[in-house]
Amino acid sequence: MSTVSINGQPTRPVIHVEHLTKDYYLGATVVHALRGITLDVYPGEFVAVMGASGSGKSTFMNLIGCLDRPTSGIYLLDGINVADLGPDELALVRNRKVGFVFQGFNLLPRMTALGNVMLPMVYAGVPRERMEERARAALAAVGLEERAFHRPSEMSGGQQQRVAIARALVNGPSIILADEPTGNLDSRTSIEVMAILQQLNAHRITIVLVTHEPDIAAFCKRIVRFRDGRVIQDQVNPAPRSAAMALAELPPEDTEVMVT
Ligand SMILES: Nc1ncnc2c1ncn2[C@@H]1O[C@H](COP(=O)(O)OP(=O)(O)O)[C@@H](O)[C@H]1O
Ligand SMILES: [Mg+2]
């Protein structure tokens, strides 16, 4: 496995993937969703994964998030060969090391923001008295302290996605995986979400984000393109846009409508 040197310190990739393949079997047909992906993602990177619908982006995210297992190939998450883990160990590693953010927010509708953010800690066995404190800190990190007792239906789409980001953060993951997190949001709210992700990334959280929007990929530091289950391009973005600056340049008016 290769390492890069940051400030003279050798660094291990958070994600190390070699010749990863994934086949889906649908009756007699096989779908080759991934046809051999080789990729390293290092601590502190902010990677956009782009590509047409059906090119394997979500399949890739599910594999690196340990939600599914590859057909073949090697995957090391923080140096751990996940193929060696049984289902319980895998669930533990996933819960501790990976935070997920999805297009549809995936919040539990009957729980408050605080309750939703506390959930991953329930599975991780965090002592009860520490849970609320940590959930509140995660909500504060996304600017939503004052919404702790609101349910998802009482929040705007952008606020719901921020709760989902707080939930992704709460176990102190090595990496945040976001699959089209701005897909259901208007452009201003999308930039707000990107501003939060950039802020987290500035605090050294590694992020891999799927998007089909070039405007969103422009905020990322590296852009990887998929086609037909393969990486066809992998480029450093020499000048990522600042989402905070992009927000400052927008006209002030249209604040989001909220039900309270
Ligand atoms: N659970 C599944 N069962 C069968 N085929 C699937 C499944 N998930 C994805 N696929 C197929 O795998 C290919 C890649 O899908 P996906 O990873 O969702 O692509 P993307 O996220 O880039 O749109 C597509 O052809 C899709 O139809
Ligand atoms: Mg997808």
Side-chain angles (χ1 to χ4, degrees), residues 133-147:
E133 175 194 332
R134 272 172 55 179
R136 283 183 179 278
L139 281 171
V142 300
L144 280 182
E145 283 160 294
E146 78 290 359
R147 300 275 156 182

Side-chain angles (χ1 to χ4, degrees), residues 22 24-26 31-34 51-60 62 68 179-180 210 226:
K22 179 69 181 179
Y24 293 110
Y25 293 88
L26 293 169
V31 179
H32 300 292
L34 297 180
S53 177
S55 58
K57 306 180 299 294
S58 292
T59 299
F60 177 71
N62 290 344
D68 199 0
D179 196 347
E180 306 207 29
V210 170
F226 279 33

Side-chain angles (χ1 to χ4, degrees), residues 81-95:
N81 189 342
V82 299
D84 293 341
L85 306 179
D88 293 348
E89 290 171 308
L90 190 67
L92 202 66
V93 165
R94 175 172 63 228
N95 199 264

